[in-house]
Amino acid sequence: MLHTLIELYTATPAWVALPPAQRSAFFARIGAGMQQFDPDRIAPVAMGRVAEGVAQGIGEQFYAVWRCASRQDADALMTGIAATGWHDYFTTTHALGAVDGLPEHLADLAAA
């Protein structure tokens, strides 16, 4: 079943202190690590900086949205991200769920 993974993250002081060459090396490892994932099973949907001044917004700096073919693929992605040392440099919050249509979502809300 198709799942969506949403990541919200902010740079830590360790990232801010990291020299540019080490930042580049870190992102090279990230890029290499992403090669292990089948793009038909795990694909980025959108990534960017979180807009400021949004009503009921959040305090995070960045977001990423991923389409994952299954819960297992999403779990593998989160495990792979953690293995890179990502969480040493970015505080991260995850939201993960199966993709539903509007009628199913409204039924879930009504049942809550």
Side-chain angles (χ1 to χ4, degrees):
M1 173 178 279
L2 191 62
H3 278 65
T4 298
L5 171 64
I6 301 168
E7 297 181 292
L8 301 167
Y9 44 97
T10 297
T12 65
W15 178 257
V16 173
L18 203 63
Q22 289 179 347
R23 289 181 180 196
S24 294
F26 178 75
F27 284 131
R29 284 195 316 272
I30 297 287
M34 288 306 298
Q35 300 305 310
Q36 71 177 317
F37 298 113
D38 179 349
D40 291 331
R41 301 203 55 81
I42 297 173
V45 174
M47 297 176 178
R49 183 176 285 276
V50 172
E52 294 180 8
V54 175
Q56 298 164 345
I58 58 166
E60 301 292 351
Q61 291 178 301
F62 302 97
Y63 73 93
V65 180
W66 300 88
R67 177 191 49 79
C68 301
S70 69
R71 170 67 190 261
Q72 292 78 15
D73 290 315
D75 289 341
L77 177 59
M78 289 185 284
T79 298
I81 289 168
T84 68
W86 180 265
H87 302 299
D88 294 337
Y89 297 119
F90 296 93
T91 60
T92 305
T93 301
H94 291 126
L96 173 65
V99 175
D100 285 331
L102 183 59
E104 294 85 5
H105 183 62
L106 293 177
D108 281 346
L109 291 172

